[in-house]
Amino acid sequence: MIVTVTLNPALDLTYAVDALVPHGTHRVSTVAERPGGKGLNVARVLHTLGEPVLATGLLGGATGNRVAGLLTAEGVRSSFVRIAGETRRTVAVVDDTDATGFWEPGPAITAGEWSLFLAEFRELLGPATVVTLSGSLPPGVPIDAYAQLIALAEAVAVPTVLDTSGAALRAGLLAGPTVAKPNAEELAAILHTANVRRPGPWGLAETVRALSAGPVVVSRGAAGLVAVAGDDVWECVPPVPVEGNPTGAGDACVAALARGLRDRTPWPDLLSDAVALSAAAVAAPVAGAFDPDVYRQTQATATPVAATPDTTPPVVASADTATPVAASPDTTPPAGGTRVRTHR
């Protein structure tokens, strides 16, 4: 079972308009209401794919009740810790070419509520095959919250996929997730530079290696994905452009990465699947959904950018004898059952 963590969930509202004009008045053609937050989008994509998944996080108030009810109505299993504050709302205004988002900050979380969540998370690690850690942190949650969760998962040999930004991303990378999935802008932000916003694969790889010793998959929007794993670099670009709502594309990518970690999918096939699922999410009208036809038709080819001497999956040690694996002997992402890290 894949467990998705959303510490700052939301009730997502999506407004469709003909064209977004700053300072203008817009007539909304359709309104969609969905359980929101990056981790819940991951859970919904996995559920649609038929994968066993359970969503967890922090929910509170009437808005939190609505989010939980919408998840139940979609058939997504969940186990949330209840909080005193009111769960936030987000609004995405979508036209024919792009989306503009308005995100509320989220409720303040008490130390006691965070302790309750840590206890819940430990329980859920028992049946978990992979854990995804996605999105922003609400006020009151420690900035190293994801690092704490990564350490708990590592202690019981459960792989993790980290997708966050800012100080939470920096702290999380130091904890060594199995795979991290920032986008290029998020990397630029934590380095306080614009030089990595749209780099080539080689420059991006050097940036990644300055921040993390483990595998990192960087999303670049329409330019596709770059995976950096030790000395190996892979690039995968969509074969055709897809227009629509990009809001949930990164979450669909995380869903593909989580499934690939569980199944020990080699990097080329994993990146191809992640690009196709991301493109299919862009073609869907709301985050957390994807277009099945686009998913089937948008298979890309991942190509090595750096030397890749072997394509054999790594030998994985048992949970109690896990040892580091030297950089670049293979092209398969770390798998469930142990914590595998690459070092330069």
Side-chain angles (χ1 to χ4, degrees), residues 194-263:
N195 293 335
V196 295
R197 289 188 182 277
R198 295 295 178 196
W202 277 106
L204 193 54
E206 290 305 308
T207 299
V208 165
R209 289 171 181 143
L211 294 168
S212 175
V216 176
V217 175
V218 184
S219 55
R220 302 176 299 163
L225 303 175
V226 170
V228 182
D231 291 334
D232 293 338
V233 181
W234 294 83
E235 183 176 31
C236 192
V237 180
V240 294
V242 177
E243 293 186 349
N245 177 12
T247 307
D251 306 324
C253 179
V254 170
L257 293 175
R259 183 172 64 172
L261 279 181
R262 183 201 61 198
D263 296 343

Side-chain angles (χ1 to χ4, degrees), residues 107-119:
I109 308 302
T110 68
E113 288 167 342
W114 177 240
S115 294
L116 287 174
F117 179 77
L118 289 176

Side-chain angles (χ1 to χ4, degrees), residues 135-149:
S136 62
L137 301 178
V141 170
I143 202 65
D144 68 343
Y146 287 133
Q148 293 181 39
L149 300 181

Side-chain angles (χ1 to χ4, degrees), residues 6-270:
T6 314
L7 297 178
N8 202 13
L11 179 63
D12 274 0
L13 300 172
T14 301
Y15 296 159
V17 299
D18 291 335
L20 182 64
V21 180
H23 312 297
T25 298
H26 301 79
R27 293 191 179 277
V28 177
S29 58
T30 61
V31 179
E33 187 182 53
R34 295 289 188 276
K38 294 176 70 63
L40 298 191
N41 293 337
V42 175
R44 293 171 58 227
V45 169
L46 287 167
H47 175 72
T48 302
L49 289 168
E51 301 294 343
V53 62
L54 184 139
T56 188
L58 303 163
L59 283 180
T63 306
N65 291 338
R66 181 60 176 157
V67 170
L70 289 169
L71 282 173
T72 299
E74 291 189 26
V76 178
R77 295 177 57 209
S78 64
S79 178
F80 287 94
V81 170
R82 302 298 301 189
I83 59 173
E86 187 81 19
T87 293
R88 67 187 177 127
R89 296 160 299 177
T90 68
V91 177
V93 181
V94 179
D95 59 20
D96 289 338
T97 59
D98 211 335
T100 300
F102 302 87
W103 303 162
E104 294 179 1
I109 308 302
T110 68
E113 288 167 342
W114 177 240
S115 294
L116 287 174
F117 179 77
L118 289 176
E120 174 72 7
F121 184 75
R122 288 186 183 95
E123 291 294 322
L124 294 178
L125 285 173
T129 54
V130 178
V131 170
T132 68
L133 308 165
S134 303
S136 62
L137 301 178
V141 170
I143 202 65
D144 68 343
Y146 287 133
Q148 293 181 39
L149 300 181
I150 289 167
L152 291 174
E154 180 180 5
V156 292
V158 175
T160 52
V161 182
L162 176 67
D163 181 20
T164 187
S165 59
L169 172 60
R170 184 182 290 277
L173 287 172
L174 291 174
T178 311
V179 174
K181 194 222 71 67
N183 62 41
E185 288 78 8
E186 289 161 349
L187 287 177
I190 63 175
L191 287 174
H192 305 291
T193 175
N195 293 335
V196 295
R197 289 188 182 277
R198 295 295 178 196
W202 277 106
L204 193 54
E206 290 305 308
T207 299
V208 165
R209 289 171 181 143
L211 294 168
S212 175
V216 176
V217 175
V218 184
S219 55
R220 302 176 299 163
L225 303 175
V226 170
V228 182
D231 291 334
D232 293 338
V233 181
W234 294 83
E235 183 176 31
C236 192
V237 180
V240 294
V242 177
E243 293 186 349
N245 177 12
T247 307
D251 306 324
C253 179
V254 170
L257 293 175
R259 183 172 64 172
L261 279 181
R262 183 201 61 198
D263 296 343
R264 295 175 54 79
T265 305
W267 277 117
D269 295 337
L270 175 57

